[in-house]
Amino acid sequence: EDQVTQSPEALRLQEGESSSLNCSYTVSGLRGLFWYRQDPGKGPEFLFTLYSAGEEKEKERLKATLTKKESFLHITAPKPEDSATYLCAVQASPGNTGKLIFGQGTTLQVKP
Amino acid sequence: DVKVTQSSRYLVKRTGEKVFLECVQDMDHENMFWYRQDPGLGLRLIYFSYDVKMKEKGDIPEGYSVSREKKERFSLILESASTNQTSMYLCASISGQGSPLHFGNGTRLTVT
């Protein structure tokens, strides 16, 4: 069964304290792995897509990496505005529907 | 930018009522999705549609139905609302396989 597990469930950081969020996945075949950011009361906002092991993507203080079994979202020198829930999802192959399987998310709080 | 619009941000309905949640996307996407999001359970797929008048059950379709009469519009129907359907409902669309889902801002439904 295709599955996505995120850890930790919650993470508290001081402003400037770098850390990483983990996303472990089990799929028959990986079409893509996606990272989203979700603010309270809003829909998920797309951050990155990773397609193959070894791939990396960066955006401001965020960097996503991918191996054959997991992905990491590295947050460098975070700021309070980075506080949000970060969701990881996979799109499995074969399949042509585009549906995503989500992890439960990591809620990040960055204190000033 | 892709825009996915959900007609209501908040809804309060009574047990037994028939409830319609509406979603419109403006990018001519083929595939559209309805997820619900609950604390500790993450995002779970209710139904999706890959073309007009075509639909497929997701992981938790019981108690729900959908309608897709036009490409841009995908409706979720709660035939007889129950308290366990109190949740955040998220609509999404996708341009193709390997592409990210684009989400609306969600509808927070409370059934009393």
Side-chain angles (χ1 to χ4, degrees):
Chain A
E1 183 184 345
D2 299 333
Q3 197 168 357
V4 178
T5 303
Q6 291 187 246
S7 62
E9 287 187 21
L11 182 62
R12 287 186 178 182
L13 299 173
Q14 288 296 130
E15 184 172 2
E17 180 187 1
S18 302
S19 188
S20 297
L21 283 55
N22 177 263
C23 171
S24 298
Y25 63 92
T26 306
V27 289
S28 49
L30 182 68
R31 192 179 295 281
L33 185 140
F34 302 83
W35 282 98
Y36 287 83
R37 169 192 170 124
Q38 186 176 24
D39 293 302
K42 294 192 172 181
E45 175 188 347
F46 169 69
L47 293 173
F48 303 111
T49 309
L50 301 167
Y51 294 106
S52 57
E55 190 174 358
E56 298 181 353
K57 294 271 179 77
E58 281 190 72
K59 181 180 180 180
E60 296 180 357
R61 295 176 292 282
L62 300 177
K63 179 179 177 180
T65 62
L66 181 64
T67 71
K68 288 187 177 180
K69 292 185 178 180
E70 57 191 350
S71 176
F72 292 93
L73 185 66
H74 307 279
I75 303 176
T76 302
K79 298 182 178 181
E81 54 262 42
D82 294 322
S83 297
T85 296
Y86 291 85
L87 300 170
C88 171
V90 297
Q91 194 177 83
S93 66
N96 61 356
T97 64
K99 68 179 182 179
L100 298 186
I101 302 160
F102 282 85
Q104 293 191 13
T106 294
T107 299
L108 172 66
Q109 184 180 28
V110 182
K111 293 191 169 184
Chain B
D1 270 358
V2 176
K3 191 163 186 183
V4 179
T5 303
Q6 294 183 233
S7 55
S8 304
R9 292 298 304 274
Y10 301 96
L11 274 179
V12 180
K13 297 292 181 181
R14 293 194 181 275
T15 302
E17 277 193 78
K18 190 169 186 176
V19 181
F20 294 86
L21 303 183
E22 306 288 345
C23 174
V24 177
Q25 51 96 0
D26 67 354
M27 284 300 292
D28 203 36
H29 286 172
E30 301 283 343
N31 295 7
M32 296 185 73
F33 304 82
W34 277 104
Y35 285 85
R36 65 177 281 178
Q37 186 175 30
D38 301 287
L41 297 176
L43 276 83
R44 294 178 292 166
L45 182 62
I46 305 171
Y47 265 98
F48 63 97
S49 168
Y50 50 90
D51 202 349
V52 174
K53 297 191 186 295
M54 307 302 287
K55 60 186 178 184
E56 278 197 29
K57 294 179 181 179
D59 301 315
I60 51 163
E62 296 79 19
Y64 303 94
S65 62
V66 290
S67 172
R68 190 148 181 221
E69 296 295 321
K70 293 184 178 181
K71 192 174 186 180
E72 67 270 19
R73 186 179 298 270
F74 191 34
S75 303
L76 180 69
I77 304 157
L78 286 64
E79 297 291 342
S80 177
S82 63
T83 55
N84 63 13
Q85 293 178 310
T86 291
S87 186
M88 170 73 121
Y89 289 89
L90 291 161
C91 175
S93 70
I94 190 170
S95 60
Q97 299 168 48
S99 300
L101 262 65
H102 297 274
F103 284 89
N105 266 331
T107 296
R108 171 77 63 185
L109 173 67
T110 301
V111 182
T112 61

